[in-house]
Amino acid sequence: MVEIGSYLVGRKQGDWPSAATPAEDMLFAAARIDGQTLEGLEFAHCTFANVSFKNVALRQCRFTNCAFLNCYFRKTQMAGGAFVGCKFIGCEFPHATIQSCDFKYSRFDDCSLPFDEMEHSLPREPNLREELTHCLAIASDGLGLNSDGRKYRLVSIQAREEHLKAAFLGNSDWYQRHYTGLRKLKSLGQFLASKMNGFVWGYGEKWHVLVGNLLILATVGFPALLWLLQGGLDQPDKHFGVKDLIWPKLSDFDPNLWLTASPRCSIRTLMVSRTFSVLNLSTNCITSIGSGQFMGLIDAIHQRFAQPFNFLYFLCDGWCHPATS
């Protein structure tokens, strides 16, 4: 929890200023200005503690490096304003509306703004947009607002990729001065890694990307790899066909054959079979959950994880103690 006492010390009690008189280094505490319209006001280095902004219209107001502590913004209308470098701690924003506001360098702790209201007031600069949305994502998750947290995370990731791409390409004078040499190459590596993360895992936020790639690997990628390595799998009384390549089972493999095979071939085929075991586990889990057969899920986990580890034991034992003729 952020220590809020430091924002209250050293500032004198202030009166609400007029448009011609900016307020600076003042404390506004325990006040209710419900239903008022504040237009064209400027506040710098001020603290607002336990202030109710219910139904207040904030039009073209500018707040610079101000702290809002436990303030209430129910149905507050923020239009054309600026909250630059401000800190919002423990505030509430039920049904607040935001239009064309500037929240650069601002921080949110134990409070968050709705994504749909905040979306069009995010900073244009990708690095600043990443910083703000990352903060809002953490705050939203902490409040149990998972939907908003997910949206903020995806925007933060997109902004980071945009920032890294601009850093590598040197899209502006600022990037050209701050990203040179190895730092530029590092930004390229981070950009490619992030793109790969999105392509394979969907950034951990898009389940349909993961399921789609899982199906492609299970039905095309790994069967093709296993077909290339099938020389280490064929047994005298069994030949692995198309069905076995798509849906292999470790129980079909003779451990004694693996021990007599070349170590290099055994390890490669073990890697493929181990991967298939995990894929089959995922399929069984989805099937069990969908049908409500929880005991089947537990059994699938046991079977699919027990077999690879038992097989790994046979392989290692054969490697350390090769059979002698």
Side-chain angles (χ1 to χ4, degrees):
M1 183 64 183
V2 177
E3 178 58 47
I4 64 176
S6 57
Y7 298 107
L8 303 174
V9 177
R11 292 180 177 176
K12 61 181 180 179
Q13 187 75 27
D15 296 325
W16 294 97
S18 62
T21 308
E24 187 172 354
D25 294 316
M26 292 185 176
L27 171 64
F28 301 89
R32 294 179 59 184
I33 56 173
D34 300 350
Q36 297 187 25
T37 298
L38 304 182
E39 186 171 359
L41 302 184
E42 294 187 16
F43 301 86
H45 313 289
C46 294
T47 297
F48 301 85
N50 192 26
V51 176
S52 176
F53 292 90
K54 180 180 179 181
N55 291 316
V56 171
L58 298 175
R59 299 173 183 172
Q60 287 79 44
C61 293
R62 183 175 183 83
F63 299 84
T64 304
N65 192 26
C66 293
F68 296 85
L69 315 177
N70 301 317
C71 292
Y72 191 56
F73 292 90
R74 181 177 180 82
K75 295 185 178 181
T76 303
Q77 301 175 21
M78 308 176 190
F83 300 83
V84 180
C86 293
K87 299 174 181 63
F88 296 85
I89 303 174
C91 297
E92 299 181 44
F93 301 89
H95 306 292
T97 59
I98 303 172
Q99 299 177 357
S100 303
C101 291
D102 185 1
F103 286 88
K104 291 179 182 177
Y105 309 107
S106 292
R107 304 284 299 177
F108 292 80
D109 186 80
D110 198 27
C111 61
S112 180
L113 287 164
F115 176 83
D116 293 337
E117 290 294 335
M118 190 68 171
E119 181 179 9
H120 301 292
S121 293
L122 296 173
R124 294 182 54 190
E125 297 84 352
N127 56 329
L128 301 182
R129 187 165 68 252
E130 177 198 357
E131 181 180 0
L132 178 58
T133 52
H134 178 71
C135 176
L136 286 167
I138 295 176
S140 297
D141 288 339
L143 296 172
L145 305 174
N146 298 328
S147 179
D148 282 340
R150 178 178 180 274
K151 293 177 182 179
Y152 279 126
R153 276 193 300 275
L154 290 176
V155 173
S156 177
I157 294 171
Q158 182 183 19
R160 175 172 173 77
E161 290 180 350
E162 184 179 343
H163 166 63
L164 293 173
K165 182 179 179 180
F168 174 72
L169 297 178
N171 287 347
S172 66
D173 179 68
W174 187 89
Y175 282 111
Q176 293 175 4
R177 288 185 288 105
H178 288 80
Y179 288 87
T180 58
L182 293 178
R183 194 176 183 188
K184 177 179 289 190
L185 293 177
K186 182 180 179 180
S187 65
L188 174 61
Q190 292 174 337
F191 172 77
L192 295 177
S194 181
K195 282 294 186 181
M196 183 62 66
N197 181 17
F199 177 76
V200 177
W201 304 111
Y203 304 109
E205 300 290 341
K206 301 177 180 179
W207 64 268
H208 60 276
V209 174
L210 179 60
V211 172
N213 290 334
L214 183 66
L215 292 176
I216 293 174
L217 289 175
T219 58
V220 179
F222 284 111
L225 181 60
L226 190 59
W227 180 80
L228 295 174
L229 301 176
Q230 62 179 318
L233 296 176
D234 288 335
Q235 303 178 22
D237 58 343
K238 180 177 178 58
H239 177 74
F240 286 86
V242 176
K243 179 181 178 181
D244 299 309
L245 294 177
I246 297 178
W247 192 263
K249 295 185 294 184
L250 288 176
S251 58
D252 293 335
F253 305 149
D254 182 7
N256 294 324
L257 179 65
W258 290 87
L259 298 182
T260 58
S262 64
R264 183 179 180 184
C265 179
S266 299
I267 290 178
R268 289 189 302 176
T269 314
L270 170 65
M271 292 172 61
V272 178
S273 301
R274 182 72 173 86
T275 305
F276 268 107
S277 180
V278 175
L279 293 175
N280 291 347
L281 167 65
S282 302
T283 305
N284 286 351
C285 288
I286 294 173
T287 303
S288 299
I289 294 175
S291 60
Q293 300 174 356
F294 295 105
M295 292 305 297
L297 170 62
I298 296 175
D299 181 67
I301 294 176
H302 171 74
Q303 293 294 330
R304 292 301 174 184
F305 275 114
Q307 290 182 9
F309 282 111
N310 291 339
F311 178 76
L312 181 61
Y313 168 77
F314 282 119
L315 179 64
C316 293
D317 184 68
W319 186 288
C320 298
H321 305 88
T324 57
S325 57

